Amino acid sequence: MVKLVECVPNFSEGRDEAIVEQIVEEIRRVEGVKLLDYSSDKDHNRSVVTMIGDPKKVKTAMLNAAKKATELIDMRKHEGAHPRMGAIDVVPFIPVSDMTMEECVELANEVGKEMGDMGIPIYLYENAATAPHRTNLAKVRKGQYEGFFEKIKEADWKPDYGPEKMNEKTGATAVGARVYLVAYNVNLGTNDIEIADAIAKKVRFVGGGLRFVKAMGIKLEERDIVQVSMNLVNFEKSRIYQVFEMIKMEAKRYGVSVVGSEVIGAIPLQALVDTAEYYLQIENFDISQIIEKQLLE
Amino acid sequence: MVKLVECVPNFSEGRDEAIVEQIVEEIRRVEGVKLLDYSSDKDHNRSVVTMIGDPKKVKTAMLNAAKKATELIDMRKHEGAHPRMGAIDVVPFIPVSDMTMEECVELANEVGKEMGDMGIPIYLYENAATAPHRTNLAKVRKGQYEGFFEKIKEADWKPDYGPEKMNEKTGATAVGARVYLVAYNVNLGTNDIEIADAIAKKVRFVGGGLRFVKAMGIKLEERDIVQVSMNLVNFEKSRIYQVFEMIKMEAKRYGVSVVGSEVIGAIPLQALVDTAEYYLQIENFDISQIIEKQLLE
């Protein structure tokens, strides 16, 4: 089995293409790391980069990119609509294949420590958090760059790594480990938004539904139908087929049928394997039976 | 998209490991070609090698292996239980990803021509066949090595490439293109072999069932159940989920349930994607949304 980790750093620069390119180039030039995507938002003045590969190599690529970003981004001049606390705002590690969450937490600690040594105050979050109040990224980032000059002095917000004093130029960084997020939507054969909302409420965690599902009803104006739009925040525990079947079941009481579903963006192979295994009642399937998977070994 | 072709040459040597290793080594040392598997059978005195990769590189690996085999295998001394016509008995090319059958046929022609230039009479078969009577491998190979000294003189059996006279040392080779073969079995909640047989008959092509399905009933003694054992000879046309649902449907008339299924050996990713797409009613899915697939690009 080949170990694969995904890393999706967010950099606080989305307007100066030359700077973004220089940062991205640091990732591109590390062999064994695949740059899957990067995109900048001018209003947010922020860029999101997606890379994947062997954990050691992703670590190298991430640290090289961080070093470049500390040189090129100056938070004293940063303006943008998206909440941010630093030049390398947030660095999540996500297990994709043959990686445990514990290994991702360890990786977040290694990268956090080295970024701390670069002079950046580091906060570990989500599964890497060192205290419950640091789990949620929004709470960690609250107050933003401007507020951190005071926040960092509070006992509750002492950094996990790096200086205990704000870095004016780079700001602070949140480094974490989290599960892969699957964006999955189910379309209903009705244009009644109340039905989509009611089903979303039954399916999602907060409504008593599946633990790792966030859901809401939305209207697809062009198609004149409604949709249960979801984030599966742990697709290995709350699985796609469970979500799909539960929505079908709930839709029945309204005499509404499921007309389709869609996976938005990238999805780990395991999620599709789980689906095929369930519906075909496959016994003893091993993901390495998939030819394309063998090629990655 | 990355082009991937599989090639499964069968060599008429299964007893002398040193010879098999030298042939396999020719494949192993071509960069960009992955040796997925190789195994020898002493009774058959035959080795089956599975490789996959970029078509150009697979061609190189296959030709290098063929050259080595012509040096090391002497058909004048060959004995074995499996039908065979030459040292490099059969060379099928199989599209796995982003390859059309036409491209595989072209590849079979290129390899056939070069092997012909090595002095081996070449017969194109299956999708690469140049006449209907040459499609079926068993018919091409009929008479075997010993019979080819006469068969090659018949107008119907003039080789497609290479000399029109039998090569005593190497024999002749069948080079072809065919679809990927998926071995898929469905287990039934009964030990009545007649039920498995009856269902197999309804599902398979010869019984009026799905065009690209071969099926038979077999008994799983240890588990005291029966199984519909199948070869899906074109999984893109007769799909796994169709086969599975059809067996469930037929089993109903006997009050028998499907207790499980199994995929034997390797399977192309596309087969699982088709399955997930069907059951989840996924709209507009693109196989490149799968992270592991992106890594192969």
Side-chain angles (χ1 to χ4, degrees), chain A residues 236-248:
Chain A
E236 291 179 284
K237 297 267 173 68
S238 298
R239 297 189 170 184
I240 290 185
Y241 68 83
Q242 292 180 292
V243 171
F244 180 76
E245 290 296 331
M246 191 174 278
I247 289 174
K248 274 216 290 206

Side-chain angles (χ1 to χ4, degrees), chain A residues 34 261 265 267 280 283 289, chain B residues 261 265 267 280 283 289 297:
Chain A
K34 180 103 177 175
S261 79
I267 188 173
L280 297 178
E283 305 168 355
Q289 285 178 252
Chain B
S261 80
I267 186 173
L280 298 178
E283 305 169 355
Q289 285 178 251
E297 307 298 287

Side-chain angles (χ1 to χ4, degrees), chain A residues 140-151:
Chain A
V140 171
R141 197 159 48 194
K142 200 177 172 192
Q144 300 194 48
Y145 169 75
E146 291 76 5
F148 258 81
F149 290 84
E150 287 306 311
K151 185 173 177 176

Side-chain angles (χ1 to χ4, degrees), chain A residues 4 6 34 36 52-53 96-97 180 184 187 223 225 240-241 244-245 248 258-270 272-273 275-277 279-285 287 289-297, chain B residues 4 6 34 36 52-53 96-97 180 184 187 223 225 240-241 244-245 248 258-270 272-273 275-277 279-285 287 289-297:
Chain A
L4 288 178
E6 189 177 81
K34 180 103 177 175
L36 289 185
I52 195 168
V96 167
S97 170
Y180 195 90
Y184 180 62
N187 298 331
R223 293 175 65 181
I225 59 172
I240 290 185
Y241 68 83
F244 180 76
E245 290 296 331
K248 274 216 290 206
V258 164
V259 298
S261 79
E262 53 183 10
V263 173
I264 307 294
I267 188 173
L269 176 55
Q270 186 63 53
L272 289 186
V273 170
T275 298
E277 280 186 308
Y279 286 107
L280 297 178
Q281 301 174 228
I282 304 181
E283 305 168 355
N284 303 323
F285 189 76
I287 196 168
Q289 285 178 252
I290 299 168
I291 295 174
E292 283 86 345
K293 179 78 178 155
Q294 293 172 8
L295 292 178
L296 292 174
E297 306 298 287
Chain B
L4 287 177
E6 189 176 83
K34 179 104 180 175
L36 288 185
I52 193 169
V96 167
S97 169
Y180 195 91
Y184 181 61
N187 298 331
R223 293 175 63 179
I225 58 173
I240 290 186
Y241 68 82
F244 179 76
E245 290 296 330
K248 273 216 291 204
V258 165
V259 299
S261 80
E262 54 185 9
V263 173
I264 307 295
I267 186 173
L269 177 54
Q270 186 63 53
L272 289 186
V273 171
T275 298
E277 280 187 308
Y279 286 107
L280 298 178
Q281 301 173 227
I282 303 180
E283 305 169 355
N284 304 320
F285 189 75
I287 197 168
Q289 285 178 251
I290 299 168
I291 294 174
E292 283 85 346
K293 179 79 177 153
Q294 293 172 8
L295 293 178
L296 292 174
E297 307 298 287

Side-chain angles (χ1 to χ4, degrees), chain B:
Chain B
M1 294 287 280
V2 60
K3 274 190 187 304
L4 287 177
V5 68
E6 189 176 83
C7 182
V8 189
N10 289 210
F11 299 95
S12 291
E13 177 57 66
R15 291 171 189 168
D16 188 333
E17 274 180 43
I19 289 178
V20 175
E21 280 303 324
Q22 284 179 74
I23 294 168
V24 164
E25 187 55 30
E26 292 294 325
I27 294 162
R28 218 184 251 126
R29 67 186 187 77
V30 177
E31 217 177 314
V33 172
K34 179 104 180 175
L35 178 71
L36 288 185
D37 186 51
Y38 66 106
S39 64
S40 301
D41 187 300
K42 284 196 165 32
D43 294 330
H44 290 174
N45 195 10
R46 184 181 184 86
S47 296
V48 179
V49 179
T50 307
M51 69 182 105
I52 193 169
D54 171 84
K56 284 199 184 66
K57 287 166 182 166
V58 166
K59 177 183 167 181
T60 301
M62 184 57 230
L63 289 172
N64 292 353
K67 194 154 180 297
K68 184 60 74 178
T70 60
E71 289 166 29
L72 302 178
I73 301 173
D74 190 339
M75 286 305 288
R76 287 168 292 201
K77 303 172 190 161
H78 188 271
E79 284 179 346
H82 195 287
R84 76 285 180 273
M85 61 197 260
I88 308 121
D89 193 50
V90 53
V91 181
F93 291 98
I94 303 133
V96 167
S97 169
D98 199 32
M99 283 282 287
T100 62
M101 186 53 76
E102 289 66 39
E103 289 173 307
C104 274
V105 168
E106 206 177 301
L107 188 58
N109 272 276
E110 288 173 25
V111 169
K113 187 175 181 319
E114 295 212 27
M115 287 181 65
D117 292 344
M118 292 178 198
I120 310 167
I122 302 295
Y123 293 89
L124 297 171
Y125 78 103
E126 281 281 347
N127 292 59
T130 52
H133 69 280
R134 294 181 179 213
T135 304
N136 185 281
L137 176 63
K139 282 189 191 158
V140 171
R141 196 159 49 195
K142 200 175 173 192
Q144 299 194 47
Y145 168 77
E146 292 76 7
F148 259 82
F149 291 84
E150 288 306 312
K151 183 173 178 175
I152 198 171
K153 296 175 188 165
E154 296 171 29
D156 265 2
W157 294 104
K158 182 169 143 9
D160 289 297
Y161 293 109
E164 295 184 15
K165 177 173 165 297
M166 186 59 166
N167 183 320
E168 280 191 33
K169 189 181 176 198
T170 67
T173 297
V175 179
R178 63 165 171 83
V179 293
Y180 195 91
L181 193 144
V182 171
Y184 181 61
N185 304 326
V186 174
N187 298 331
L188 304 176
T190 173
N191 60 9
D192 186 344
I193 187 69
E194 283 181 28
I195 293 176
D197 276 334
I199 293 175
K201 274 179 195 159
K202 295 303 287 178
V203 169
R204 68 194 183 197
F205 177 60
V206 290
L210 294 164
R211 174 155 175 198
F212 296 104
V213 174
K214 297 179 180 179
M216 58 187 267
I218 67 166
K219 230 178 150 108
L220 303 187
E221 299 286 356
E222 257 183 60
R223 293 175 63 179
D224 196 27
I225 58 173
V226 293
Q227 177 179 81
V228 182
S229 176
M230 289 167 289
N231 274 327
L232 313 187
V233 298
N234 187 338
F235 73 91
E236 291 179 284
K237 296 266 174 70
S238 298
R239 297 190 169 183
I240 290 186
Y241 68 82
Q242 291 180 292
V243 171
F244 179 76
E245 290 296 330
M246 191 174 277
I247 290 175
K248 273 216 291 204
M249 191 191 75
E250 293 293 336
K252 271 186 199 159
R253 75 156 62 177
Y254 306 102
V256 164
S257 59
V258 165
V259 299
S261 80
E262 54 185 9
V263 173
I264 307 295
I267 186 173
L269 177 54
Q270 186 63 53
L272 289 186
V273 171
D274 291 341
T275 298
E277 280 187 308
Y278 170 75
Y279 286 107
L280 298 178
Q281 301 173 227
I282 303 180
E283 305 169 355
N284 304 320
F285 189 75
D286 186 320
I287 197 168
S288 67
Q289 285 178 251
I290 299 168
I291 294 174
E292 283 85 346
K293 179 79 177 153
Q294 293 172 8
L295 293 178
L296 292 174
E297 307 298 287

Side-chain angles (χ1 to χ4, degrees), chain A residues 188 190 192-200 226 228 250-251 254 256:
Chain A
L188 304 176
T190 174
D192 186 343
I193 186 68
E194 282 180 30
I195 292 176
D197 276 333
I199 293 175
V226 293
V228 182
E250 292 293 336
Y254 307 102
V256 165

